[in-house]
Amino acid sequence: MSKVIMIVLDGLKYETARASMGYLNHLVEVSQAACYKVRSELPSLSRPLYEVLLTGTPCSVNGITANHIVRLSHQKSVFHLAVEQGLKTAAAAYYWVSELYNRAPFERIEDREQHNEALPIQHGKFYFDDVYPDSHLFVDAEVLRQQYDPDFLYIHPMGIDDIGHKFTSDSKEYRGKALEADMILATFVPLWMSSGYEIIVTSDHGMNSDGHHGGTGDEERDVPFYAIGSMFSPGEYPDEIPQLVVAPLLCQMLSLPLSEAMNFVQVPGFKLNI
């Protein structure tokens, strides 16, 4: 079984990832990574898509239909499935992730840092301010990795999304924030690669030129998906893959049984297709 690190760069649209993230695309060019375009589910909003990415279910099934739906998920997430199989889980993420899988509503003092082997996210550092620096968030994640050695580590920074809302996706600020995230990844990804991790870098949704998301436009729905590690044949894959496949794909990578609600679709270049 391999260990998996999943990074969700909130609000990063596909075109900006391909144009601005030099390090990630370098890995594709030198045949050390695979790159895909993922079509997000609707609505292209954050909380509903966190649930999509981690449970493989659409909002019409899971009931997380909007950002203001504050409750625990009714579905089995990758976190749940991992813990059931005796794996160790961790997350450095926005507090909505804690509200979906650990405790809801979020209590800032009690839930900022969580360590409980009985919870789906056994070790978590959760932030609640959209301007929490991405640089700090990745350090939070690395502390969790070094201290607890999780089999599944979920990392979720908010900087790109925050800047996109303030300046739109058609701005130097948005492109600059993507560059910043790429430079942070250039610091940590080589370390994780050398330690044998399978690494996924993707996004929940994109951002349009008005500084919004939630609708059906390509800018809002098309997001990148980079796969780094031994389980994917490197290269650029032109066919769009559905976002609902991400959770069952993670299960395959972690040697976990799929939940009854998940539906695995074969992904080109993935070596464990069933």
Side-chain angles (χ1 to χ4, degrees):
M1 185 206 72
S2 295
K3 295 185 178 182
V4 176
I5 296 175
M6 180 182 187
I7 303 104
V8 177
L9 300 173
D10 203 295
L12 177 64
K13 70 178 185 179
Y14 177 81
E15 289 181 354
T16 300
R18 297 311 311 272
S20 296
M21 307 198 83
Y23 172 69
L24 285 182
N25 289 294
H26 164 72
L27 293 180
V28 177
E29 284 192 352
V30 298
S31 298
Q32 293 187 30
C35 181
Y36 303 83
K37 180 189 289 186
V38 166
R39 185 74 164 176
S40 85
E41 282 291 297
L42 293 174
S44 53
L45 294 169
S46 293
R47 197 187 299 249
L49 296 183
Y50 304 162
E51 178 80 334
V52 168
L53 286 167
L54 288 161
T55 71
T57 61
C59 74
S60 54
V61 171
N62 62 51
I64 304 298
T65 56
N67 284 340
H68 64 265
I69 307 296
V70 180
R71 63 161 171 81
L72 287 173
S73 171
H74 295 166
Q75 304 294 316
K76 280 196 173 182
S77 71
V78 177
F79 293 118
H80 291 87
L81 296 166
V83 171
E84 287 178 1
Q85 296 299 312
L87 304 188
K88 192 176 296 184
T89 63
Y94 195 56
Y95 74 101
W96 289 0
V97 176
S98 174
E99 288 184 326
L100 280 168
Y101 307 113
N102 273 14
R103 290 196 287 260
F106 185 84
E107 298 292 339
R108 292 186 175 189
I109 295 174
E110 295 179 10
D111 295 341
R112 172 74 172 91
E113 186 157 343
Q114 302 176 33
H115 301 283
N116 185 336
E117 297 284 328
L119 291 174
I121 304 173
Q122 295 171 322
H123 302 283
K125 293 179 182 286
F126 300 99
Y127 63 100
F128 46 82
D129 194 328
D130 290 13
V131 299
Y132 189 70
D134 291 355
S135 58
H136 291 41
L137 190 278
F138 275 91
V139 170
D140 289 342
E142 181 61 10
V143 169
L144 290 172
R145 188 188 74 85
Q146 293 189 20
Q147 291 186 347
Y148 300 100
D149 191 27
D151 299 289
F152 178 51
L153 174 60
Y154 182 85
I155 306 173
H156 172 226
M158 188 65 73
I160 295 170
D161 182 79
D162 179 61
I163 289 296
H165 284 303
K166 290 173 178 173
F167 297 98
T168 83
S169 66
D170 187 19
S171 67
K172 65 178 183 180
E173 290 85 1
Y174 181 81
R175 292 184 287 272
K177 204 67 177 178
L179 283 166
E180 178 185 312
D182 186 67
M183 287 187 284
I184 295 171
L185 289 168
T187 301
F188 288 104
V189 167
L191 170 63
W192 300 335
M193 290 173 69
S194 67
S195 298
Y197 287 87
E198 302 290 325
I199 304 163
I200 299 297
V201 183
T202 188
S203 184
D204 49 350
H205 55 74
M207 184 75 61
N208 68 23
S209 57
D210 293 329
H212 300 303
H213 56 86
T216 63
D218 292 345
E219 286 189 312
E220 298 163 83
R221 296 190 69 181
D222 290 347
V223 298
F225 186 96
Y226 295 92
I228 305 162
S230 63
M231 292 187 180
F232 292 82
S233 297
E236 298 184 43
Y237 293 88
D239 294 338
E240 204 167 63
I241 61 175
Q243 199 171 44
L244 289 172
V245 80
V246 174
L249 182 69
L250 290 168
C251 288
Q252 286 292 103
M253 295 173 70
L254 289 161
S255 300
L256 299 174
L258 275 59
S259 76
E260 293 182 0
M262 291 179 183
N263 181 30
F264 184 81
V265 177
Q266 291 199 351
V267 175
F270 182 52
K271 298 178 182 178
L272 300 181
N273 278 317
I274 56 174

